[in-house]
Amino acid sequence: MAEVTAEARIEAPAAKLWAQLTDWSAYGQWSMTHTNFPKGGPETLAVGATFEENMKMMGFPAEVAWTVSELESERRFAITGKGPMGVAILTRYTLIPDGEATTVRIDGEFNGAAVSLMAGKLKDSATAALNESLRKLAGLVT
């Protein structure tokens, strides 16, 4: 298993960040791993909703089938997915309001036989992508 975390305090209210995080048409403006949604993002953001995403992981294209697994509006949502070579992925977005600012945390987990072969490189690559994604997200909402 490989686990990654990135966190940033962003000078914007949680509602504004939530709106940006869940605006699937603008997802590629800040997510460094996203390339496109072949069929669009989830039609409605609800636990059990499914969607497909084309991504780049460690510089390689990857198709992931996602399911929304947790949802608390303006606070948290998580998606679980299946990627190439049987890799199971969990991505969780957590928003912690603090006045007019919000701490945004992104946690990721990668599981599967292929992960053990490349865990170190995957962790470094994913952490860098998450940190850059948070920088871009901040630029869109501040």
Side-chain angles (χ1 to χ4, degrees):
M1 173 175 21
E3 295 179 325
V4 295
T5 297
E7 183 175 294
R9 179 181 166 87
I10 299 175
E11 297 299 320
K16 188 172 185 179
L17 279 156
W18 183 263
Q20 186 67 54
L21 281 171
T22 58
D23 178 357
W24 308 116
S25 66
Y27 201 70
Q29 293 178 13
W30 63 270
S31 175
M32 295 303 298
T33 58
H34 177 78
T35 55
N36 72 6
F37 294 114
K39 300 175 184 173
E43 290 182 27
T44 57
L45 187 58
V47 172
T50 60
F51 62 101
E52 296 173 9
E53 180 181 14
N54 292 329
M55 309 173 68
K56 271 202 175 177
M57 299 174 76
M58 298 186 345
F60 296 101
E63 295 177 5
V64 179
W66 292 108
T67 301
V68 177
S69 56
E70 298 175 34
L71 180 63
E72 182 183 347
S73 185
E74 296 186 12
R75 295 284 189 257
R76 180 182 73 244
F77 78 91
I79 50 178
T80 55
K82 290 288 183 193
M85 298 185 293
V87 173
I89 307 167
L90 166 70
T91 303
R92 179 178 293 114
Y93 300 88
T94 305
L95 282 65
I96 304 164
D98 182 15
E100 287 301 307
T102 305
T103 297
V104 180
R105 179 180 168 127
I106 307 173
D107 295 292
E109 293 178 10
F110 302 86
N111 287 292
V115 173
S116 62
L117 301 173
M118 57 186 170
K121 185 173 180 165
L122 176 60
K123 187 173 182 174
D124 291 345
S125 176
T127 299
L130 292 180
N131 283 315
E132 181 61 21
S133 294
L134 287 173
R135 280 191 285 279
K136 285 186 164 233
L137 179 63
L140 289 172
V141 297
T142 56

